[in-house]
Amino acid sequence: MAAPTLKIDLHTHILPKALPDLGERYGCGGFVRLEHRAPGSARMTIDGALFREVSETLWSPERRLEECDRHGVDVQVLSTVPVMFSYWSRPEDGLDLARLLNDHIAVVAAARPRRFVGLGTLPMQAPDMATRELERCVRDLGLAGAEIGSHVNQWNLDRPEVFAVSEAAQDLGAALFVHPWEMMGSERMPKYWLPWLVGMPAEVALAISSLIFGGVLERLPRLKLAFAHGGGAFPWTLGRIERGFEVRPDLCAVDNRVPPRSYLGRLVFDSLLHDAEALRYLLRLAGPESIALGSDYPFPLGEEVPGRLIESITELTPEARDSLLAGTALRFLGRDRRSLGR
């Protein structure tokens, strides 16, 4: 079997190495600070408390490409670390931070346009600002779209405020990559890393369900959406969601009467499932044209060798394998195969 000519990692994160002191910049706390304590490593802190230890792979394009070459990854899709969304911040600060991060991603991608594709971040707490920044990302910076959170403070993704940004994305042909953040129920999960292990899958399921039940996908038929972590808990609870829609339309079908399962062909899921049987199930449910390689690089809960899980499914046809490793991502990003790769 001939190997696919391209491997695209849809789900990777990046930060600038020289992240400014955001607390000083905006005159308040709550923002991430990147503290370089030793060569090749740093600490992400929030108001002095450790958030995460990180290595230079988070900010160094050269180190990223070294690892990509070692693992056979041709293209990385770059997005910010979700903790940087800062939707809680003042709108003008959120916009300034988004522009800072987006300018950085655009510079990295433009320097190596065959190896990196960029997704921006948006001040979603201010929809008008977010719409204008999305336009700048696509039209001026050459980014493929944006990464957004699974919710915006108290707004789920069906809210009219969020709809305005989604509508703009459809009009621009921009891709929206939905990533969980600020996990619900975190106050009940102080131990065992449960917000990341349990809360994140629930967040993605909530985001997808809100979009379906809220009629967003019905009203925006050309909107391009992809979801991190294999769609979280959504694929595994779809039977229950569909059953609820059937037996309690008075509660579930109040804003959209189209069955939830009908939208499977509209949604893209990354492959970050950590389990071959789980990936096989998602393949049966959604099909290879709806799944794209995603590793969560460079973080430890991601896939250590991007694409290894996909490549372990030996029964895939060459066409299905190529779709998972490249084709689905290309369609989602609106990129041409010939313009990317080593």
Side-chain angles (χ1 to χ4, degrees):
M1 180 190 303
T5 57
L6 205 60
K7 185 190 287 190
I8 302 172
D9 189 345
L10 185 64
H11 182 178
T12 82
H13 300 292
I14 191 169
L15 282 181
K17 179 179 181 179
L19 190 66
D21 185 332
L22 300 175
E24 181 177 287
R25 188 181 182 102
Y26 303 131
C28 63
F31 293 97
V32 168
R33 182 182 178 92
L34 193 60
E35 301 176 354
H36 294 272
R37 296 291 185 90
S41 65
R43 301 168 77 243
M44 295 175 70
T45 64
I46 301 175
D47 297 335
L50 178 66
F51 174 73
R52 181 177 292 162
E53 298 274 0
V54 294
S55 75
E56 63 183 340
T57 52
L58 181 59
W59 61 79
S60 169
E62 293 75 22
R63 287 285 293 115
R64 297 174 82 93
L65 289 179
E66 287 174 10
E67 296 203 346
C68 283
D69 291 345
R70 186 164 67 252
H71 296 147
V73 174
D74 298 288
V75 182
Q76 282 191 339
V77 181
L78 309 175
S79 56
T80 195
V81 183
V83 71
M84 302 301 296
F85 290 156
S86 305
Y87 296 155
W88 50 266
S89 67
R90 291 180 302 226
E92 61 271 23
D93 297 339
L95 175 61
D96 180 76
L97 177 56
R99 291 176 67 92
L100 184 156
L101 296 170
N102 294 340
D103 288 347
H104 168 255
I105 288 175
V107 167
V108 173
R112 298 168 179 83
R114 296 188 63 85
R115 303 301 302 273
F116 296 131
V117 176
L119 294 174
T121 185
L122 308 173
M124 294 292 290
Q125 68 271 45
D128 289 346
M129 290 181 179
T131 297
R132 291 195 298 271
E133 181 60 12
L134 180 60
E135 291 172 352
R136 190 181 80 94
C137 285
V138 174
R139 292 174 176 167
D140 298 343
L141 300 184
L143 305 184
E147 175 194 36
I148 66 171
S150 50
H151 62 95
V152 182
N153 302 324
Q154 298 304 309
W155 300 340
N156 287 327
L157 298 188
D158 61 327
R159 283 287 296 260
E161 296 89 346
V162 180
F163 183 88
V165 182
S166 299
E167 187 174 34
Q170 174 179 266
D171 294 344
L172 289 162
L176 294 183
F177 181 61
V178 181
H179 196 293
W181 86 299
E182 291 284 305
M183 281 69 77
M184 57 179 158
S186 292
E187 67 280 358
R188 294 178 55 212
M189 297 185 281
K191 295 175 66 176
Y192 317 124
W193 213 23
L194 291 181
W196 271 255
L197 304 182
V198 176
M200 279 192 163
E203 276 291 333
V204 183
L206 174 58
I208 297 172
S209 298
S210 297
L211 288 162
I212 289 174
F213 285 128
V216 176
L217 302 180
E218 198 66 18
R219 296 167 64 193
L220 299 175
R222 294 179 287 106
L223 179 61
K224 297 190 294 183
L225 288 164
F227 298 88
H229 307 158
F234 177 79
W236 318 100
T237 53
L238 178 57
R240 183 178 181 85
I241 291 167
E242 185 88 358
R243 178 64 173 167
F245 176 87
E246 292 168 353
V247 300
R248 291 306 306 265
D250 57 314
L251 299 177
C252 298
V254 294
D255 293 322
N256 182 20
R257 296 187 177 277
V258 179
R261 195 177 292 269
S262 304
Y263 295 103
L264 281 174
R266 290 277 312 279
L267 309 176
V268 171
F269 308 99
D270 78 12
S271 63
L272 191 58
L273 291 164
H274 304 288
D275 182 272
E277 289 306 312
L279 180 55
R280 287 186 174 97
Y281 170 72
L282 189 58
L283 281 163
R284 292 194 300 271
L285 184 72
E289 62 282 346
S290 295
I291 304 170
L293 165 62
S295 74
D296 206 5
Y297 178 95
F299 296 131
L301 197 51
E303 186 175 26
E304 186 173 1
V305 179
R308 177 171 286 176
L309 182 64
I310 292 170
E311 291 160 349
S312 74
I313 309 296
T314 57
E315 65 269 26
L316 287 172
T317 66
E319 294 79 13
R321 186 179 301 270
D322 181 67
S323 191
L324 269 66
L325 293 177
T328 300
L330 288 167
R331 290 188 295 274
F332 173 66
L333 298 167
R335 292 295 193 261
D336 183 86
R337 185 182 296 261
R338 292 169 296 181
S339 69
L340 298 173
R342 289 177 286 179

